[in-house]
Amino acid sequence: MNIRDTGDLWWKNAVVYCLDVETFMDWNDDGIGDFPGLVQRIDHLADLGVTCLWLMPFYPTAERDDGYDITDFLGVDPRLGDMGDVVELVRTARDRGIRVIVDLVINHTSDRHPWFRSARRSTDDPFRDFYVWRAEEPPSTKDQVVFPDQEDGIWTLEEKTGEWYRHRFYRHQPDLNTANPKVRDAIAKTIGFWLELGISGFRVDAVPFALTDAAANPDDEIDDPHDMLRVLRAFLGRRSGDAILMGEVNLPYPDQARFFGDGNPADGDPGGTTSSELTMQFDFNAMQAMYLAFARHDAGPLAASLRARPPIPHDTQWATFVRNHDELTLDKLSEDERQEVFAAFGPEEDMQLYGRGLRRRLPPMLGGDPRRLRMVYSLLFALPGTPVLFYGEEIGMGENLAVPGRLAVRTPMQWTSQDNGGFSRAPARRLAAPLPDDGYAPEHVNVADQRRDPDSLLTFVRLLAHRYRECPELGWGDAVVLDQPEPSVLVLRTTWQDASMVTLHNLSPDPAVVPLSLGELPEGARLVDLLDHDDVEPAPDGTAEVRLDGYGFRWLRVTHPEARRLL
C-alpha cells in the first residue's frame, strides 16, 4: 500500500458525517443551532473518527424546505451565523483533521431568490431564461411530481405573465435552466467562492434533475447533458486539486455508472481528464437491497446488489449509508419487496412516506435490539466504499413521528439528559424542532452518558471508524462476495495490494458456523479479529470455520509472520 495514494485520494477511505447546523448545537440559546455551537462540538466529531464533515444547506432561505429553498448561494443564513463563522469552522475542523464539504443545490432556487423575483416580472426580463417556462397550458404531470402529497403537477401558472414555470419539487422551488450558459457560470462562481473559503467539495443535490435542460438548445455550447458535469469537475480540479463532487443519483446501476465518467485523472493533472464527472455517488441500490435483506434475514438481496455494481474509475468511489436526511427511499424495490420492508420496519401508515419510503431512524425500526444495531453499523463500515453517517446515528437517536414528513428524522442532536437534550437553553417552544419524547428521548439516549460507557453504541461506532481508517483496503480494495452455505450470512473478502480482509455479518437471530475457503495463504497465516480477540487459524489449504452468534459479525485481517502491518 502506497500511503501517499491514500492521502491524495482522501475520499476513498474517509468517514463522512452529515449534519444540519440548525439542529446540531445552539450556542446563543435562541433555539436554533448555529456555527459557534458546531465549532464547540467539533471535538466530538474528531473523537468519533470523522474525517469529512458534510453540511446541509446553511444559506439564506425562505424557510419552506429546511434550507433547500435557497435565496442566496453566496451567503449564510443570519440565524446560523455569518461568513466569519464559516471560516472559523473550516479552520478548526482542519486543525482536527476534518475536511468540510457543503450542499450544492443546482436544480432550483427559492421563488424568493432575486433571480426569480426578477424573472417572473415579464417575459423579456434578463433573468427570464434562468428558469424553465412554457406558454401553452401543460398536460397533466401528476405522475412526475417528487412529493405527491404536496403537489399535483410540475408546472405552476405565473398569472402576471400568463406562462407556466417548472418545478420538479415544490412550487416554491422553480427549476433552474441549466441550458443557459449564464446559469452554469453562476454555478461555477458558487463553487469557486466556497473553495476559496477552504471548503473541500460539495454534495450535489438531485443530480439527474439538474441535468435535465443542459444541452437542450441547438445553440448551446455543450452537446451532452453530462458535459455540464465534466466541465464542473474540470473547473473544480483546476481550483482545488483534491476537492470532490459527491452526487445524489438515485438511478439503476447502469444509468448511475454514467455519472462517474469513463476515465481517470492523467498523471500530473489534478483536474483529471474531460471524461471525469462525479467523484463519489451514494449507493442507493445497495442501501435498498440491504433493508430487504434485513427484513428477510437473508443476505441474498445485498449480495446480489454488490455483485451487480458496475466497475468505476480508479479516482471515484461509492458512498455507503444506512440512513440519510431524507425519507428512506425504497423506490428501486418491486412493490412486493417494498411491502416486505414496510411490514418489517414501518407497518403503520404514518411511518411511511409517498408510498415509496420510511420516515424512521434505524434503532426504532430494529426494535432497539443492540445486537442487530451493532451488526448493521459493522456492516456499513465493512461494505466496499466510503461510509456516511447521519448525525445522531452514533448514539442511536430515534425519530419524532409528530413532526411532518421527512423532518421526522431531523430532530435536534441529543447531547445530555438535561432540558432540550443539551441542544439549547431556550424554551422548548422556540427550538428548531421538537425532540422525541419516547424511549429515544434525551434522558435515555445522549452523548454525555455514552461517552462514559465503554459498552455504549457511541464507543462501538468510534471503534468501527478508527478500525476502518486503519484498514485502507476497505475503501480501496476489490471486494468479492464469497460463496458459502449460510443464506443469512454475507461474507466479503476485500483485497488491496498486500492487505486482505474477510468480514462476516449474520443477518439472522440464529447462530451460524460459516465454512470459508480462502485459497492459498502465506505460510503461518492467521485471521486476526480486529473487533475482538478471537483470532481464527486457517488450515494449510486456506479453509477455516468461523462461528457467528445471532446477528454476529467479524472483521478478520489476513496476516502472516512476515507482515509489517500493526494489528
Side-chain angles (χ1 to χ4, degrees):
M1 168 65 65
N2 188 334
I3 198 68
R4 292 173 299 179
D5 290 343
T6 65
D8 291 342
L9 302 184
W10 58 268
W11 56 87
K12 297 279 280 190
N13 64 329
V15 176
V16 182
Y17 188 96
C18 171
L19 63 83
D20 185 353
V21 176
E22 184 177 1
T23 55
F24 199 64
M25 183 66 202
D26 172 22
W27 206 246
N28 64 0
D29 294 321
D30 63 354
I32 298 171
D34 46 47
F35 278 101
L38 172 53
V39 170
Q40 292 293 331
R41 289 291 183 263
I42 204 72
D43 286 323
H44 167 70
L45 304 183
D47 180 63
L48 181 60
V50 171
T51 63
C52 177
L53 173 59
W54 157 24
L55 301 180
M56 292 168 61
F58 54 83
Y59 315 105
T61 172
E63 299 181 46
R64 300 184 67 185
D65 186 22
D66 202 29
Y68 283 91
D69 52 330
I70 297 167
T71 60
D72 180 4
F73 292 112
L74 305 179
V76 177
D77 185 336
R79 300 175 306 151
L80 311 181
D82 57 29
M83 204 68 72
D85 293 318
V86 175
V87 172
E88 185 65 17
L89 168 67
V90 173
R91 188 208 66 80
T92 306
R94 284 272 185 175
D95 179 66
R96 295 342 190 244
I98 301 173
R99 291 175 171 87
V100 179
I101 66 174
V102 301
D103 252 289
L104 180 66
V105 181
I106 60 176
N107 178 68
H108 56 260
T109 69
S110 167
D111 61 359
R112 299 182 187 177
H113 193 290
W115 296 343
F116 191 72
R117 285 184 167 181
S118 182
R120 71 194 317 175
R121 292 172 185 162
S122 69
T123 57
D124 59 358
D125 186 89
F127 286 97
R128 186 71 171 184
D129 198 38
F130 269 51
Y131 298 90
V132 182
W133 300 87
R134 62 178 295 155
E136 304 81 17
E137 184 172 354
S140 173
T141 52
K142 189 173 184 179
D143 60 337
Q144 299 180 42
V145 299
V146 174
F147 304 125
D149 63 331
Q150 300 291 323
E151 302 289 349
D152 55 12
I154 66 171
W155 294 93
T156 291
L157 177 65
E158 173 54 58
E159 294 187 0
K160 185 173 182 178
T161 60
E163 292 189 346
W164 285 259
Y165 65 88
R166 195 185 68 202
H167 51 89
R168 300 285 186 181
F169 295 88
Y170 299 108
R171 67 183 59 201
H172 58 80
Q173 293 172 329
D175 289 355
L176 284 167
N177 174 21
T178 52
N180 183 347
K182 292 182 180 180
V183 170
R184 297 198 296 271
D185 286 347
I187 293 169
K189 179 181 178 180
T190 300
I191 290 174
F193 176 82
W194 292 108
L195 289 178
E196 287 298 313
L197 292 183
I199 295 300
S200 293
F202 304 87
R203 177 266 185 185
V204 190
D205 186 54
V207 178
F209 289 115
L211 300 192
T212 298
D213 302 298
N217 298 330
D219 58 349
D220 200 350
E221 62 189 26
I222 60 177
D223 300 320
D224 180 340
H226 284 260
D227 287 341
M228 175 178 163
L229 281 182
R230 298 181 188 111
V231 170
L232 289 180
R233 176 74 181 274
F235 174 77
L236 184 81
R238 292 195 303 272
R239 290 294 180 93
S240 176
D242 66 351
I244 66 169
L245 295 176
M246 181 169 68
E248 180 190 32
V249 182
N250 182 14
L251 293 173
Y253 278 138
D255 299 321
Q256 191 172 8
R258 285 200 63 200
F259 288 82
F260 281 120
D262 56 8
N264 295 311
D267 290 341
D269 176 13
T273 66
T274 56
S275 59
S276 297
E277 297 184 34
L278 295 174
T279 320
M280 300 175 66
Q281 290 186 60
F282 294 96
D283 191 347
F284 283 94
N285 293 276
M287 180 276 292
Q288 297 182 51
M290 180 167 57
Y291 275 91
L292 181 60
F294 294 159
R296 293 177 173 178
H297 301 289
D298 181 353
L302 179 55
S305 183
L306 293 175
R307 285 174 169 141
R309 270 184 175 180
I312 61 176
H314 171 73
D315 68 323
T316 61
Q317 180 67 302
W318 294 105
T320 58
F321 64 104
V322 169
R323 197 64 182 87
N324 65 8
H325 60 293
D326 284 328
E327 78 273 11
L328 181 71
T329 184
L330 303 168
D331 64 319
K332 296 298 177 289
L333 302 181
S334 70
E335 181 60 30
D336 288 344
E337 291 170 339
R338 189 158 44 247
Q339 291 305 319
E340 284 186 67
V341 179
F342 282 167
F345 303 127
E348 299 176 19
E349 185 175 350
D350 188 43
M351 299 173 177
Q352 302 166 19
L353 199 60
Y354 312 134
R356 63 172 186 251
L358 293 164
R359 60 189 204 102
R360 310 192 71 195
R361 281 188 179 250
L362 182 68
M365 285 194 281
L366 300 184
D369 187 335
R371 302 172 304 157
R372 203 174 185 189
L373 194 60
R374 290 173 183 239
M375 181 275 293
V376 171
Y377 283 109
S378 171
L379 175 60
L380 170 65
F381 279 87
L383 288 173
T386 296
V388 181
L389 293 169
F390 185 48
Y391 78 94
E393 281 193 277
E394 71 272 28
I395 58 171
M397 276 173 51
E399 74 276 351
N400 186 344
L401 293 176
V403 180
R406 300 174 296 165
L407 301 182
V409 301
R410 304 182 193 177
T411 56
M413 183 68 180
Q414 298 171 196
W415 295 105
T416 72
S417 59
Q418 299 171 337
D419 292 347
N420 300 331
F423 162 71
S424 174
R425 291 181 293 194
R429 68 180 184 279
R430 292 175 55 192
L431 297 186
L435 289 144
D437 58 3
D438 54 10
Y440 295 92
E443 55 263 38
H444 307 295
V445 177
N446 66 76
V447 172
D449 289 347
Q450 293 194 25
R451 281 172 60 87
R452 300 176 177 87
D453 182 358
D455 296 320
S456 68
L457 179 62
L458 175 60
T459 300
F460 179 68
V461 174
R462 182 192 298 126
L463 173 65
L464 291 174
H466 285 269
R467 288 289 181 268
Y468 172 84
R469 290 285 293 168
E470 294 166 355
C471 301
E473 63 267 34
L474 291 177
W476 282 74
D478 296 319
V480 176
V481 179
L482 297 186
D483 292 325
Q484 46 79 36
E486 291 292 336
S488 67
V489 177
L490 180 72
V491 181
L492 295 173
R493 184 171 186 182
T494 309
T495 302
W496 176 256
Q497 297 185 2
D498 65 336
S500 186
M501 172 86 73
V502 179
T503 59
L504 304 93
H505 291 83
N506 183 6
L507 278 57
S508 164
D510 301 320
V513 178
V514 183
L516 298 180
S517 181
L518 303 178
E520 184 178 353
L521 296 175
E523 185 176 352
R526 292 183 302 138
L527 303 179
V528 176
D529 195 322
L530 297 185
L531 300 181
D532 205 339
H533 301 286
D534 190 11
D535 297 353
V536 175
E537 299 289 342
D541 63 354
T543 60
E545 282 193 345
V546 180
R547 297 182 179 276
L548 294 174
D549 295 333
Y551 299 127
F553 48 88
R554 305 285 292 278
W555 287 24
L556 302 175
R557 163 71 67 71
V558 180
T559 189
H560 57 89
E562 300 300 318
R564 304 182 68 180
R565 289 179 170 276
L566 292 174
L567 300 172

